[in-house]
Amino acid sequence: MRYISTRDNTIQYSAAQAISQGLAKDGGLLTPCYIPKLPGKALEDMLGMAYQQRAVYIMKMFLEEFTVKELTDFAGAAYGPDKFDTPAVAPVRAVDGNTHCLELWHGPTCAFKDMALQMLPHLLTASLSKTEEDKTVCILVATSGDTGKGALEGFKNVPRTKILVFYPKDGVSEVQQLQMVTQEGDNVGVAAVVGNFDDAQTGVKRLFSDGAVRQELADQGYFFSSANSINWGRVLPQLVYYISAYCDLLRDGKLAPGQSVNICVPTGNFGNILAAYYAREMGLPIDQLICASNSNNVLTDFIREGVYDRNRQFYTTMSPSMDILISSNLERLLYALTGDSAEVRGYMDQLGETGRYQVSGRVKDKLQKCFKGYFCDDRETQRVIRSMYDKHGYLIDTHTAVAFSALEQYRRETGDDTTAVVASTASPFKFCASVLEALGETAPAHGLDALDQLSAKTGLPAPAPLAGLRDKQVRFTQVVEKDRMVDAVRSLLG
Ligand SMILES: *Cc1c(COP(=O)(O)O)cnc(C)c1O
């Protein structure tokens, strides 16, 4: 399987090259040149398999240069009992007769980023060996919360890697900050940046493109890479759980062979729902993909009108991981819909120049055939949390609530009550204060006290990795100005 740039399909890489480089030289995203079809008996074959085996089965179809033995070792290490609090790894919970919730937050950081970030380090280090890269990789991450911690947990103590995470000093929740500054491992670094998320993100991009810094690193035996969701090694592990969920529903008699489902995903950077689209392309019987957004509803408008326009107000919401106006992975969908890298490059050039592009009528028709877009605001998010809890005794986080609202709107508007699977992307305990308020409680001033209060209110235990934060030592206190982020790099590598 070859990987091509979404902006120039004459640029071709092997899987290992695609994963170790992260991004194509021309700024495009590296994407498989075709999506393989699931063999006829695949779903049946996978019914009796554990999640780890299903992961090997599916990933192998995209990673010819990796052996089954390698992938089996990776899946065992990534999704083992020391990492995930349930042997199902990504369990499907029934909400009612035709609504199921795919819980993607049973990993070490309690958000769905673990599903990919536990696998990526294995894929990346193996890719470095396969491409005979002899330097140590230094992963830089700018985070607004979940990705940073997910990447730190994934890469901690991984040989031949160092990881450095920058978070905005006053821009993350108390729980998220504690999760990062108490991070264990001897190859990790964490620094607060004086500024907001954009400052941190811009600073990281500047480090990536600073020739002098790169040379200084190379002299010490390092090179920079990225762990964000533009890397194919982060998208691929996400295909697995959609296929696995379908197998679970088949196994449990909730679906008949061949029966269609709709999938609803709370969306930010478009990585998670893109994985569902690829699973559909592989032949998984998915009918509609419902793309759920919060007030930053740039994707809702795009799906409805075929116009992507980031020139709009940015809202800070209670589902912060979806507060995003440029959904990077949409570029991969555009390539899949057009099959034309020159057309994609045209759209991306316009996005860079004017912040806006309009797709052709043909692309819009294809898009609307399988995608539906809905959004909701914070009030509606809290209403849904309350109503799910009251009606079904099921506690969900703010991001998942946005998805349930979208599904409700879709069903009301279309009358289509096809069995639906909703992706649940974070533990409700990660967004305690908003969840408590939704249940009519006043959240305490301190983040960790809110964990106890939510436990007391619901009778549910807080996930161990969050409850355990109280006893952890703070290891990282470095604060850097936004134009001095290189100091943090030097203190990690020096
Ligand atoms: C990252 C994240 C999302 C958005 O996922 P994308 O793949 O970026 O669309 C949704 N919910 C939570 C909790 C997240 O951490």
Side-chain angles (χ1 to χ4, degrees):
M1 163 95 47
R2 305 295 293 172
Y3 287 76
I4 53 168
S5 165
T6 46
R7 299 185 193 182
D8 179 356
N9 60 13
T10 63
I11 298 184
Q12 298 209 351
Y13 292 101
S14 68
Q17 286 170 326
I19 291 167
S20 42
Q21 310 242 355
L23 195 68
K25 288 191 283 275
D26 64 348
L29 305 196
L30 291 163
T31 300
C33 61
Y34 69 97
I35 301 297
K37 296 282 178 213
L38 285 168
K41 278 186 337 77
L43 295 175
E44 203 181 303
D45 286 348
M46 279 187 275
L47 276 200
M49 291 185 189
Y51 188 87
Q52 292 84 343
Q53 294 168 292
R54 291 173 181 168
V56 175
Y57 189 113
I58 294 154
M59 296 203 320
K60 177 69 186 152
M61 296 174 73
F62 291 86
L63 302 174
E64 281 147 14
E65 313 144 84
F66 291 70
T67 65
V68 166
K69 163 86 173 63
E70 279 177 307
L71 294 176
T72 303
D73 291 346
F74 300 167
Y79 303 124
D82 53 331
K83 306 282 187 172
F84 281 73
D85 67 10
T86 163
V89 182
V92 181
R93 176 187 160 127
V95 176
D96 61 31
N98 63 354
T99 313
H100 302 273
C101 195
L102 170 57
E103 294 182 348
L104 301 173
W105 41 262
H106 288 275
T109 77
C110 309
F112 98 96
K113 303 292 192 289
D114 290 329
M115 300 303 302
L117 280 167
Q118 284 297 315
M119 177 58 74
L120 178 67
H122 300 287
L123 294 176
L124 182 62
T125 47
S127 296
L128 294 178
S129 307
K130 287 179 200 297
T131 55
E132 297 179 355
E133 174 60 64
D134 53 10
K135 294 198 190 67
T136 293
V137 59
C138 176
I139 312 262
L140 298 183
V141 181
T143 185
S144 60
D146 292 335
T147 301
K149 178 62 181 179
L152 286 164
E153 273 301 312
F155 280 96
K156 79 170 175 207
N157 297 331
V158 172
R160 297 187 55 203
T161 72
K162 299 259 186 191
I163 174 156
L164 178 56
V165 169
F166 294 99
Y167 68 92
K169 184 166 168 291
D170 301 308
V172 298
S173 81
E174 201 178 331
V175 170
Q176 288 174 322
Q177 178 174 7
L178 266 175
Q179 278 188 300
M180 290 188 276
V181 298
T182 59
Q183 178 64 45
E184 291 161 4
D186 51 26
N187 63 335
V188 303
V190 175
V193 177
V194 182
N196 59 25
F197 171 67
D198 281 329
D199 296 322
Q201 169 106 315
T202 308
V204 163
K205 285 189 184 148
R206 208 180 309 125
L207 285 173
F208 267 109
S209 56
D210 184 327
V213 175
R214 276 182 175 274
Q215 189 54 51
E216 183 182 330
L217 245 69
D219 294 344
Q220 289 178 269
Y222 293 103
F223 75 101
F224 284 137
S225 187
S226 153
N228 69 27
S229 68
I230 54 177
N231 192 315
W232 176 248
R234 271 196 61 186
V235 178
L236 178 58
Q238 301 185 158
L239 273 66
V240 176
Y241 46 74
Y242 292 109
I243 298 170
S244 176
Y246 192 92
C247 290
D248 281 359
L249 291 171
L250 269 184
R251 181 196 62 202
D252 299 344
K254 306 273 174 58
L255 289 175
Q259 189 181 336
S260 290
V261 293
N262 291 338
I263 305 249
C264 180
V265 184
T267 297
N269 217 11
F270 210 78
N272 201 1
I273 195 166
L274 177 77
Y277 173 81
Y278 285 143
R280 185 181 189 272
E281 286 293 285
M282 291 180 81
L284 192 71
I286 297 171
D287 185 20
Q288 295 296 308
L289 293 162
I290 301 165
C291 175
S293 303
N294 62 26
S295 296
N296 297 296
N297 58 357
V298 60
L299 287 166
T300 317
D301 289 347
F302 175 66
I303 291 167
R304 293 187 186 173
E305 288 147 30
V307 176
Y308 196 95
D309 191 353
R310 62 162 300 209
N311 304 303
R312 60 178 70 212
Q313 174 159 10
F314 176 82
Y315 297 96
T316 301
T317 74
M318 61 175 62
S319 43
S321 303
M322 297 156 68
D323 290 346
I324 184 158
L325 292 180
I326 298 193
S327 299
S328 313
N329 266 302
L330 190 60
E331 182 169 344
R332 285 194 168 104
L333 179 68
L334 290 173
Y335 182 76
L337 296 177
T338 58
D340 182 344
S341 54
E343 188 173 341
V344 175
R345 190 174 58 238
Y347 296 143
M348 291 304 115
D349 286 348
Q350 286 177 47
L351 182 66
E353 284 154 23
T354 66
R356 179 184 188 280
Y357 61 88
Q358 174 163 13
V359 294
S360 69
R362 187 178 76 95
V363 173
K364 184 175 152 189
D365 288 346
K366 280 186 150 178
L367 173 73
Q368 292 178 340
K369 216 171 131 235
C370 55
F371 283 91
K372 298 290 175 286
Y374 294 88
F375 74 99
C376 77
D377 64 12
D378 280 352
R379 257 181 78 124
E380 165 73 358
T381 304
Q382 289 194 312
R383 183 199 66 79
V384 172
I385 292 172
R386 177 74 178 253
S387 130
M388 285 292 284
Y389 187 69
D390 288 348
K391 254 200 235 155
H392 302 289
Y394 189 34
L395 192 66
I396 54 172
D397 94 292
T398 48
H399 304 76
T400 308
V402 170
F404 273 102
S405 169
L407 177 64
E408 227 180 277
Q409 295 178 55
Y410 169 79
R411 284 180 165 164
R412 204 182 316 128
E413 197 174 296
T414 61
D416 174 10
D417 62 356
T418 298
T419 297
V421 175
V422 175
S424 177
T425 48
S427 158
F429 283 89
K430 245 194 138 160
F431 300 92
C432 261
S434 304
V435 172
L436 276 169
E437 279 168 28
L439 300 181
E441 304 269 305
T442 307
H446 291 288
L448 294 182
D449 294 340
L451 290 177
D452 295 337
Q453 195 178 331
L454 189 57
S455 269
K457 167 84 184 164
T458 60
L460 297 169
L466 299 183
L469 284 174
R470 262 205 189 89
D471 311 319
K472 290 263 160 90
Q473 213 78 332
V474 171
R475 295 184 62 210
F476 300 101
T477 52
Q478 186 173 17
V479 179
V480 292
E481 296 297 327
K482 61 188 179 195
D483 52 4
R484 295 303 312 165
M485 284 165 59
V486 67
D487 295 349
V489 177
R490 291 191 181 120
S491 43
L492 176 68
L493 304 182

